[in-house]
Structures are given as C-alpha cells and as structure tokens.
Amino acid sequence: MSPVSRTLVLAGCTLELTTKRTPTRPVIAGNWKMNGDAAAIAGARRLAVQLAASPPRARVALCPPTSLIHRLAQAVAGTPLLVGGQDCRAEAQGAFTGDESAEMLLDAGARMVILGHSERRTLHGEDDALVAAKVLGALRAGLEPIICVGETLDQRRTGRAIEVVRAQIRVSLPPELKGNAFCVAYEPVWAIGSGLIPTLDDIETIHGVIRADLLDMFGAAGAEVAILYGGSVKPSNAAQILGGREVGGVLVGGASLDSETFMEIIAAA
Ligand code: PGA
C-alpha cells in the first residue's frame, strides 16, 4: 500500500501522518502481570507448538512474572514464541534487594522487557527518567524494550492526553535507542483492565503523534518502530484495533492468560 499522508495540526505544530504501513512485523505481546502457574506454562507450551507448526505473521511474546521466565523459556524453546520480562532495574548488579537486572532476565531466557508500565509508574513511583535509565539497562544487556506510555482518565478528560504522551515519549526514550530494536506501547491508564477502550480514531491520533515524535527523535529509523496499543484488548476488538493506522501490534494483559484466547488475538494480526 502506498503511504498517503494526512496532516494533523496540534498546538502550533504540524505533523504529517501517513496511512497504515507495515514497516515491521506486528508484535503481539502478553503481559501476565502477577499471574501464572504450571497450568499457564502448559498452555503457553501448547500455544508455542501451534505457532511452530503454523508460524504467525506477528512476532509473539509472553511476559510472565520474573520467577516463571526460566520455566517458560524452557517450555517454549525452539518455537517462535518469545519470552519477556515485565520490568528490570537499570543497574547490572549490586546491593538492590529484591530487584533483577536486565542481564539476569536475559540469562533466564528473556529477549524482551516491558518498561514503564503504568502499574510500575503508579504503584512504584517510576518516572520517565527512571524508565529511560531502565531502557539503557535493557540495551546494555541486549533485551528489546517495550516502553509504555499513556494518559490517565483525568488527563484525557481535561484534553491533555496528547501532551502527556508526548512528554513521556520525549523523556522515557533515550537517544541511545537509535539503531536498536524497541517497541512503544500506548496504553491509556483508564483502559487497562477496565473493559473500556478509546475510539479507533483516538488510538490512531495518539499513534500518529507517537510516530511523528519517533521520526523526529530517531530519523528514518523511527518509521520501523512498532507502536503497540494496550488496554482491554480482547479477541472481539483485536482485529479492528490491529487494522488501525500506525498500530503495529497489541500489548495484552488479562486476555493473554488463557492460551486459546491469546491465540485468537494472534490470529487477528
Ligand atoms: P489488560 O492489560 O489487557 O488486562 O487491560 C493491558 C496491560 O496492562 O498491559
């Protein structure tokens, strides 16, 4: 499809948005959060075997709690299913009780890591500068970061969604990302686990703004970055969301816990 541009004018700044391109394979990533057990690992193994038999168009990852990374990685070894972490500390090692470095996640079998998830930002007080430091840790270890941004309900209601997301992008994504594989996930905080989702138009607008910032920050390489949508993605809405302009995948919480449900979302990509 040849790109067709449309212009978006925002607070004195004009952005050229292009229609949906598929610069990279879509990414379907599951975030188990603090859930997962032997049954979930067995389900993931069945899913991985299915993906191996019939390779999907998308790159598919599951991000279990840290304690399950090694088991999951062993269960899906040799299949296309990637394993990711949900967070890491910025430093490589040291006196940081209870924390895990990106190198440790890699050693356990992770290849990706979610950083700056709103639950980390809210429950652990993580700010954009800390997220950027963690991104550098992930790059140092060779993990592909999935960097999350998104506005709260109050910020959306008061018309600040674009401004908030752009500010998060500017600080959470360090310049060192240039030339490295990474994803951005737009996850409106109010859509996570709530069953509510923005309109497709709102998703496309924010994704277009993120794309424009990525191009500005990383040049042509910014066109290759998959911008994922996350927040109440289900089999019933996945195809529509994935068909959106500049939507390069989805980050799935609750619906990734059941392997059959997650497979339906993968099939929609
Ligand atoms: P949800 O979570 O799909 O359960 O809304 C998404 C996320 O937090 O990444």
Side-chain angles (χ1 to χ4, degrees):
M1 191 201 310
S2 63
V4 177
S5 62
R6 101 180 150 139
T7 305
L8 182 73
V9 181
L10 291 165
C13 131
T14 305
L15 304 170
E16 286 295 326
L17 305 184
T18 55
T19 54
K20 184 167 175 66
R21 292 160 298 171
T22 46
T24 50
R25 291 168 67 196
V27 175
I28 310 291
N31 173 11
W32 282 3
K33 310 195 180 189
M34 202 173 76
N35 299 290
D37 52 16
I41 299 273
R45 161 93 195 143
R46 286 194 299 277
L47 172 70
V49 168
Q50 262 182 284
L51 297 179
S54 169
R57 193 171 87 83
R59 296 170 65 215
V60 182
L62 277 175
C63 303
T66 307
S67 61
L68 292 178
I69 288 177
H70 185 60
R71 268 166 82 188
L72 182 60
Q74 284 191 318
V76 305
T79 76
L81 184 61
L82 297 163
V83 179
Q86 298 176 9
D87 177 48
C88 69
R89 194 170 174 98
E91 294 82 356
Q93 75 279 308
F96 304 109
T97 302
D99 286 345
E100 305 277 343
S101 68
E103 282 80 356
M104 290 167 177
L105 301 188
L106 181 79
D107 184 52
R111 295 294 173 261
M112 307 177 97
V113 62
I114 299 169
L115 294 173
H117 189 279
S118 75
E119 284 148 22
R120 300 293 313 175
R121 291 176 183 266
T122 308
L123 302 172
H124 297 267
E126 295 190 4
D127 61 12
D128 295 319
L130 180 59
V131 175
K134 291 181 174 205
V135 170
L136 294 181
L139 295 182
R140 183 190 61 231
L143 291 182
E144 178 177 343
I146 301 175
I147 306 152
C148 302
V149 295
E151 81 285 357
T152 63
L153 190 55
D154 179 58
Q155 288 162 340
R156 173 154 291 269
R157 282 193 175 137
T158 51
R160 289 180 292 143
I162 289 174
E163 171 199 330
V164 165
V165 168
R166 294 191 80 188
Q168 289 174 331
I169 290 282
R170 290 282 160 180
V171 183
S172 302
L173 275 59
E176 289 82 352
L177 279 168
K178 191 167 184 171
N180 288 287
F182 69 99
C183 305
V184 172
Y186 168 54
E187 297 206 303
V189 179
W190 52 273
I192 294 175
S194 64
L196 303 171
I197 55 165
T199 63
L200 188 60
D201 205 43
D202 284 342
I203 293 174
E204 289 184 335
T205 298
I206 298 276
H207 280 229
V209 166
I210 292 173
R211 177 69 69 207
D213 278 346
L214 290 172
L215 291 170
D216 188 40
M217 293 165 74
F218 303 108
E224 305 301 318
V225 178
I227 306 172
L228 281 48
Y229 167 80
S232 296
V233 175
K234 307 267 181 286
S236 56
N237 58 26
Q240 194 201 15
I241 292 170
L242 284 161
R245 189 187 297 115
E246 300 291 9
V247 178
V250 286
L251 180 53
V252 185
S256 71
L257 285 166
D258 177 76
S259 59
E260 284 172 26
T261 308
F262 192 47
M263 187 65 205
E264 289 182 55
I265 294 173
I266 295 165

